Amino acid sequence: MIDMPTGTDAYVQKGQDLSEQLSAKRADMRLRKFDTIAVHGIYGMQEALNNHGSIIEPIFTSSAQHFESSDHLETALAYQMPAWGYTRIGNPSTHYLEQTLSLLEGYDFAGEVDAVATSSGMAAIFMATNPFLMQEAKSELNFVASGKCYGGAFMLFSERYEKEKGVDVRWVRNNLNLSEWEASIDKNTRFIYTEMPSNPGLAVTDISALAELAHSHNIPLIVDSTLASPALMRPLSFGADIVIHSLSKVMGASGMSIAGAVLSRRNIMSKTGPDELRENFAQYVKLLPARDFGPALSPFNAVMILNDLRSLRGRVDQMSQSTMQVAKALTEMPGVERVNYPGLTSFEGHAVAKNYMQLVDSTDKRYGHMLSFTVKNGVEATRAAFDKLQMIWRATDLGRVKTVAVVPAISTHQQQGEAGRAVADVPANLIRLSVGLEHPQDVIDDLSQALDS
Ligand SMILES: *Cc1c(COP(=O)(O)O)cnc(C)c1O
């Protein structure tokens, strides 16, 4: 017999009980190590028993949830009890992913972390930034962003926000020059945005210093840390307010789905928006702007990402060690001009990277799976080397278990044009390389035969 509460008060009470159970489960998991959280998330034995005993999180492809009664429906849709209702707003499979992500990103962080999953990394960037761009009477909105960012972010900011909406986008050229950030901020600045490390230049940011600067102006710091993943760096514990991930990359390394996430600490600073935005940004986005814009993640993709997350730490460790070997080998190849990799002592941002990037639950410095390098003798030589790759895939992709290379100026950063590429520091002879789980010697051999002419 199902115990059927009557009246919405009873459902509100039931909702409080369910929320307390979730909090207790999260508190329990927060005592565990990173790998254990990655493997289990909040999906424990009790949850499994509610799911026919399934030890793997089920994929709920249902578009909607059935309600017991009008009171149940009313309470749920008033957001007064945990429910999912309709997959655009929530879904049990997506919920398991969001809970796992928030525990991983909040690992070792004293406060609570919340997450909303999105249909792509770009949707996450949009949902993390657009809520701050509310047009207030007579104010000229602006935000300050690192020019060294993902091509998609560059286009969203410069085309959609600046050209279409008139938002003033203030690009910072040198992430490590704090006074350049400071000089760009004024009373109409709504947030600060950076990528750490950046794609494809691997530029680094002193997150703590930038967070302090943002907070002194009562605005949030938003960090895209896709390349690092929580296995190497968790920006919230360095003072960032909002973290963005493209889950399509190393967190979803098998490359079978596109997904993203926005994660936030509680009680962020903002000059704009309702109290709910400040109190719990990710939940606010999930329940309101994401409901209205509709960038919901497919539940199928949510479980695909969950599966990849389980082995995140070990994979990032192996990929980082291989990338370090490949980076060193590249520095010795005669056809190579310059290698960008935060792990190289010769790299400009090495000292800062060393302060921020470390394999979780270890003392091992690790610098991630991506590097980029410039090729001597110009664009033609660059394309020729790229075309000679035999095993390394030519694709606009990264974070894969398979090694992938791309020439950003003719692909990921093509549409932003030459002036835009100058801001982003993406020269035409740059090759971006994302090192996978193959034996590093095979990757080095393929590069060396391609560059040997
Ligand atoms: C790929 C990428 C994105 C965009 O993610 P999608 O899932 O492709 O939409 C955002 N930021 C960074 C750093 C990326 O590499």
Side-chain angles (χ1 to χ4, degrees):
M1 270 295 288
I2 299 168
D3 184 18
M4 285 260 287
T6 50
T8 53
D9 286 351
Y11 281 105
V12 171
Q13 182 55 51
K14 189 177 174 186
Q16 277 166 6
D17 295 346
L18 289 170
S19 299
E20 277 162 25
Q21 282 168 27
L22 177 61
S23 299
K25 182 67 190 163
R26 287 181 61 90
D28 171 43
M29 287 314 290
R30 287 182 66 165
L31 303 173
R32 313 282 176 148
K33 295 292 185 199
F34 189 90
D35 277 335
T36 310
I37 296 168
V39 170
H40 291 269
I42 55 141
Y43 192 82
M45 290 179 180
Q46 194 52 50
E47 192 73 24
L49 290 175
N50 299 334
N51 284 302
H52 302 275
S54 171
I55 68 166
I56 299 294
E57 295 84 340
I59 302 173
F60 287 92
T61 55
S62 178
S63 51
Q65 173 187 10
H66 165 69
F67 293 100
E68 291 170 354
S69 63
S70 58
D71 288 334
H72 187 198
L73 174 74
E74 184 180 4
T75 313
L77 279 261
Y79 295 147
Q80 286 185 349
M81 71 180 298
W84 56 282
Y86 188 61
T87 287
R88 172 158 43 76
I89 304 162
N91 175 280
S93 303
T94 310
H95 172 72
Y96 296 138
L97 173 64
E98 289 169 339
Q99 291 295 320
T100 307
L101 289 170
S102 65
L103 289 167
L104 295 178
E105 197 64 46
Y107 190 70
D108 274 349
F109 174 65
E112 283 292 334
V113 175
D114 300 274
V116 54
T118 56
S119 55
S120 69
M122 279 313 303
I125 297 175
F126 176 65
M127 292 317 310
T129 52
N130 188 65
F132 296 106
L133 300 176
M134 295 179 197
Q135 194 54 262
E136 287 135 23
K138 295 196 190 67
S139 78
E140 293 267 343
L141 293 182
N142 73 68
F143 64 89
V144 184
S146 166
K148 296 192 177 76
C149 65
Y150 176 67
F154 193 94
M155 296 303 274
L156 171 68
F157 295 172
S158 59
E159 297 295 311
R160 308 281 89 82
Y161 287 162
E162 189 158 68
K163 284 196 194 142
E164 289 182 5
K165 292 188 197 296
V167 175
D168 181 10
V169 183
R170 301 179 171 178
W171 296 113
V172 163
R173 301 293 286 261
N174 179 357
N175 287 2
L176 290 175
N177 182 354
L178 211 61
S179 45
E180 196 186 338
W181 289 98
E182 186 154 29
S184 305
I185 301 172
D186 65 23
K187 66 180 197 324
N188 294 323
T189 303
R190 289 295 176 260
F191 61 85
I192 294 182
Y193 183 94
T194 194
E195 212 174 282
M196 162 80 175
S198 77
N199 171 6
L202 285 310
V204 298
T205 299
D206 184 348
I207 295 175
S208 302
L210 205 54
E212 211 171 290
L213 179 66
H215 298 159
S216 73
H217 290 271
N218 196 26
I219 52 175
L221 171 64
I222 305 173
V223 180
D224 178 340
S225 65
T226 296
L227 291 195
S229 91
L232 295 185
M233 186 182 76
R234 292 166 302 288
L236 300 178
S237 52
F238 294 112
D241 300 278
I242 296 168
V243 170
I244 291 161
H245 284 293
S246 167
L247 304 177
S248 325
K249 308 295 171 53
V250 74
M251 289 165 85
S254 53
M256 299 204 278
S257 41
I258 298 294
V262 178
L263 297 111
S264 61
R265 66 161 72 220
R266 295 278 168 90
N267 300 314
I268 65 167
M269 286 180 172
S270 171
K271 288 185 174 175
T272 193
D275 289 344
E276 291 80 6
L277 176 150
R278 275 176 283 271
E279 283 161 15
N280 187 336
F281 182 75
Q283 180 177 279
Y284 166 79
V285 165
K286 184 177 173 63
L287 298 182
L288 301 166
R291 174 197 68 189
D292 303 334
F293 285 110
L297 178 62
S298 146
F300 191 89
N301 288 356
V303 175
M304 299 293 263
I305 301 290
L306 263 178
N307 265 335
D308 279 340
L309 279 182
R310 304 187 211 280
S311 51
L312 181 70
R313 181 182 177 276
R315 185 170 69 238
V316 166
D317 185 19
Q318 187 181 336
M319 285 165 130
S320 300
Q321 293 196 55
S322 296
T323 311
M324 189 72 196
Q325 285 187 47
V326 174
K328 282 182 179 157
L330 277 167
T331 58
E332 312 211 314
M333 290 185 198
V336 173
E337 191 178 70
R338 176 177 61 124
V339 182
N340 304 315
Y341 187 59
L344 294 175
T345 48
S346 59
F347 184 69
E348 197 202 352
H350 174 69
V352 173
K354 204 171 163 188
N355 282 338
Y356 284 94
M357 300 176 78
Q358 179 164 306
L359 186 68
V360 64
D361 286 335
S362 83
T363 53
D364 301 329
K365 294 291 168 191
R366 295 285 182 267
Y367 299 95
H369 56 278
M370 211 186 84
L371 59 78
S372 57
F373 60 97
T374 50
V375 177
K376 280 184 191 155
N377 303 318
V379 186
E380 288 316 310
T382 307
R383 292 176 80 132
F386 181 67
D387 289 342
K388 278 175 75 182
L389 294 171
Q390 302 284 321
M391 180 194 78
I392 298 170
W393 303 92
R394 284 174 283 274
T396 58
D397 202 5
L398 63 95
R400 284 304 140 250
V401 293
K402 300 183 177 194
T403 300
V404 177
V406 81
V407 179
I410 56 166
S411 57
T412 54
H413 291 67
Q414 182 195 128
Q415 292 176 11
Q416 68 196 56
E418 210 162 310
R421 282 194 293 277
V423 173
D425 195 16
V426 177
N429 64 337
L430 186 78
I431 292 181
R432 183 183 82 186
L433 183 75
S434 172
V435 179
L437 290 179
E438 301 94 340
H439 194 286
Q441 193 55 51
D442 289 325
V443 177
I444 293 168
D445 288 348
D446 196 21
L447 289 165
S448 102
Q449 66 76 26
L451 286 155
D452 173 38
S453 53

